[in-house]
Amino acid sequence: MWLGVEQGRLQSVDADVALAGVQARLSEELPQLDLKELRGRIGWQSLERGFQVSTRRLALRMRDGFELKPTDFFLRLSAGQGAQLPSGEIRANSLRL
């Protein structure tokens, strides 16, 4: 895991993950996640008026058979300011919806 800190504030996080056999519930209203395997790199970065998240070769297998092949993903969201409207960008090299 790599942390980027500027002027005492966390600005970015990058982590190589390799998880197996994980069960988690993110909210009482949501069903339990039952991960067989999760691998890849996940990143987050704070921006002046927003943030960005990314993955590199993120692969996921669920116990119910759902599988996400290694995928590169990028999302950037920025709040508007003055006359500038809120904006965003999304990219993925392989995504089956």
Side-chain angles (χ1 to χ4, degrees):
M1 179 182 292
W2 299 269
L3 301 176
V5 179
E6 292 178 21
Q7 298 178 355
R9 297 176 70 178
L10 183 63
Q11 294 297 310
S12 65
V13 177
D14 289 291
D16 288 335
V17 295
L19 303 173
V22 175
Q23 294 180 336
R25 185 175 305 275
L26 302 177
S27 168
E28 288 183 17
E29 296 81 29
L30 296 174
Q32 179 173 301
L33 285 175
D34 197 359
L35 297 173
K36 189 171 184 180
E37 183 177 29
L38 176 69
R39 293 184 178 279
R41 180 170 287 181
I42 301 172
W44 167 86
Q45 182 177 354
S46 177
L47 302 173
E48 186 176 335
R49 292 186 317 272
F51 68 93
Q52 67 185 35
V53 293
S54 62
T55 68
R56 273 194 241 147
R57 299 201 43 82
L58 186 70
L60 167 73
R61 285 191 304 150
M62 304 288 286
R63 290 210 189 280
D64 66 5
F66 176 81
E67 185 173 350
L68 176 67
K69 300 289 185 187
T71 301
D72 296 343
F73 175 82
F74 175 84
L75 172 68
R76 177 184 295 147
L77 298 174
S78 298
Q81 183 178 23
Q84 183 180 4
L85 296 173
S87 64
E89 176 183 356
I90 187 169
R91 296 189 308 252
N93 67 337
S94 174
L95 193 57
R96 180 190 247 180
L97 301 174

